[in-house]
Amino acid sequence: MFKTLLKLLRVKDWVKNLFILLPLFFSGDLFDFSKLNQTLFVVISFCLVTSFVYILNDIFDIEFDKNHLEKKLRPIPSGKVSVKTSLFIGVLFLLIGLTLLWYSSIESFYLTVFYVLLNIFYSYKLKQIPIIDFIIVSVGFVIRVLIGGEIGEIELTQWMIVMVFLLSLFIAVTKRRDDVYQYESENIINRKVIVKYTVEYMDKLITIISSTLLVSYLLFITSESVISRYPSRYLIISFLFVLIGVFRYNQITYVENKSGSPIKILFKDLFLQITLFLWVLTFFIVIYSGKI
């Protein structure tokens, strides 16, 4: 039963909420333990809230998930947990998470409430609207970063917001592309909106976003504001890892046709894990080498 509960809450998906830590990491205050503890507390609180969002989404998608090769094994579509029980657990976690956020940061609380409302509308109707469906997913990651900035009292640059939006948009579109691929190749409809896309269209979107992401990142690390903040000649090395990471993710998307689960890719693809680690390590050395 405990395993079923973990699957219902989508605990593995909590890793997405580490985006809240990004402002603290890039500000150079990662070892300010007062800020770190407070931010980690908010991350945990937000995780409880996102579990409600995942449960709500699974309830709305129950009929489509029953036709999906993997999603049909989730607790709600498989019938292991009833809709009523799932909703009760979800609301309970939502209330606990919001209460903790209220007492830790009122700004983070309001941002989280906006995130919840946005996802309620998303689950009910907005995910059926082409283009808007994956835009909202990306906005959700931007909200995470904004929460991180608020709790750490860190002024976010436009570059950080743009980069997070583009990265999350890239992943969201590749994920949707997998649904469209299954629809065209196996006639499996995982959600209503996919009938309004084609694989060819999704491929063009991915190409545009990939190119924009790479160019934006290069402009970001060579901008005057970043160079003045991180005066290191090694920062340009990070572009190599971003380039390799995008190439690898495109390979998974186009060649292997396995981009349907970004979390599974993150936990299982050693190539991407090493690339991500080296990217983080590069920035860690650039930002913290003189502070340790």
Side-chain angles (χ1 to χ4, degrees):
M1 184 62 189
F2 181 68
K3 251 176 137 179
T4 302
L5 179 63
L6 293 181
K7 287 183 179 179
L8 177 69
L9 298 174
R10 302 250 210 110
V11 173
K12 283 186 177 180
D13 286 88
W14 285 0
V15 71
K16 299 174 185 176
N17 300 326
L18 292 178
F19 272 78
I20 295 173
L21 284 168
L22 284 183
L24 189 64
F25 175 76
F26 284 105
S27 70
D29 293 333
L30 190 62
F31 294 108
D32 182 332
F33 292 108
S34 175
K35 284 188 176 183
L36 179 61
N37 290 336
Q38 195 174 12
T39 304
L40 288 175
F41 183 79
V42 168
V43 169
I44 294 170
S45 304
F46 193 78
C47 285
L48 302 181
V49 173
T50 54
S51 284
F52 163 76
V53 171
Y54 297 140
I55 289 172
L56 187 67
N57 194 55
D58 285 349
I59 290 174
F60 275 103
D61 281 350
I62 187 170
E63 295 303 323
F64 289 106
D65 287 349
K66 286 179 180 179
N67 297 322
H68 195 278
L69 295 175
E70 294 183 9
K71 292 180 181 180
K72 67 180 180 181
L73 302 175
R74 289 177 177 174
I76 296 176
S78 66
K80 291 180 180 178
V81 183
S82 68
V83 171
K84 189 176 180 180
T85 301
S86 300
L87 192 58
F88 173 79
I89 293 172
V91 171
L92 179 64
F93 271 68
L94 172 67
L95 293 176
I96 294 173
L98 288 178
T99 301
L100 294 175
L101 285 164
W102 175 267
Y103 285 107
S104 59
S105 167
I106 191 66
E107 293 84 1
S108 298
F109 171 82
Y110 287 131
L111 282 168
T112 304
V113 169
F114 175 70
Y115 173 84
V116 172
L117 292 175
L118 182 65
N119 277 277
I120 289 174
F121 285 115
Y122 171 79
S123 296
Y124 176 66
K125 191 69 179 177
L126 296 180
K127 65 181 176 183
Q128 299 173 19
I129 304 175
I131 300 174
I132 298 299
D133 61 327
F134 46 73
I135 291 292
I136 290 179
V137 172
S138 302
V139 170
F141 282 92
V142 172
I143 293 174
R144 287 173 170 89
V145 174
L146 292 175
I147 290 173
E150 288 294 338
I151 196 66
E153 297 180 346
I154 300 162
E155 186 176 350
L156 302 181
T157 64
Q158 291 182 344
W159 276 116
M160 178 175 288
I161 294 173
V162 168
M163 293 310 305
V164 167
F165 179 78
L166 287 174
L167 176 63
S168 54
L169 185 64
F170 170 67
I171 295 174
V173 174
T174 54
K175 184 174 186 285
R176 187 69 71 249
R177 192 253 187 202
D178 186 77
D179 291 331
V180 178
Y181 175 79
Q182 287 191 27
Y183 168 64
E184 290 192 357
S185 61
E186 302 171 30
N187 201 30
I188 297 176
I189 300 178
N190 298 323
R191 56 183 67 229
K192 287 182 180 179
V193 75
I194 64 170
V195 300
K196 299 177 182 178
Y197 295 128
T198 65
V199 169
E200 182 183 4
Y201 174 73
M202 301 306 287
D203 289 348
K204 288 180 179 178
L205 281 185
I206 294 169
T207 300
I208 293 170
I209 298 169
S210 297
S211 304
T212 306
L213 175 62
L214 290 172
V215 172
S216 297
Y217 186 81
L218 193 56
L219 290 172
F220 161 62
I221 59 175
T222 56
S223 65
E224 288 186 17
S225 60
V226 171
I227 292 175
S228 61
R229 188 167 190 174
Y230 312 123
S232 173
R233 59 187 177 184
Y234 300 112
L235 191 59
I236 193 68
I237 296 174
S238 68
F239 177 72
L240 176 64
F241 302 127
V242 171
L243 185 68
I244 292 172
V246 170
F247 284 173
R248 172 56 184 156
Y249 212 95
N250 276 325
Q251 182 184 31
I252 293 170
T253 301
Y254 294 128
V255 181
E256 301 176 14
N257 290 304
K258 293 180 179 178
S259 59
S261 177
I263 297 300
K264 184 182 289 186
I265 292 171
L266 177 63
F267 282 115
K268 290 190 175 183
D269 193 90
L270 183 60
F271 191 106
L272 273 180
Q273 289 171 355
I274 293 173
T275 304
L276 179 60
F277 171 77
L278 292 174
W279 178 81
V280 173
L281 181 63
T282 302
F283 264 99
F284 185 85
I285 292 172
V286 168
I287 299 172
Y288 295 95
S289 58
K291 299 184 179 184
I292 299 177

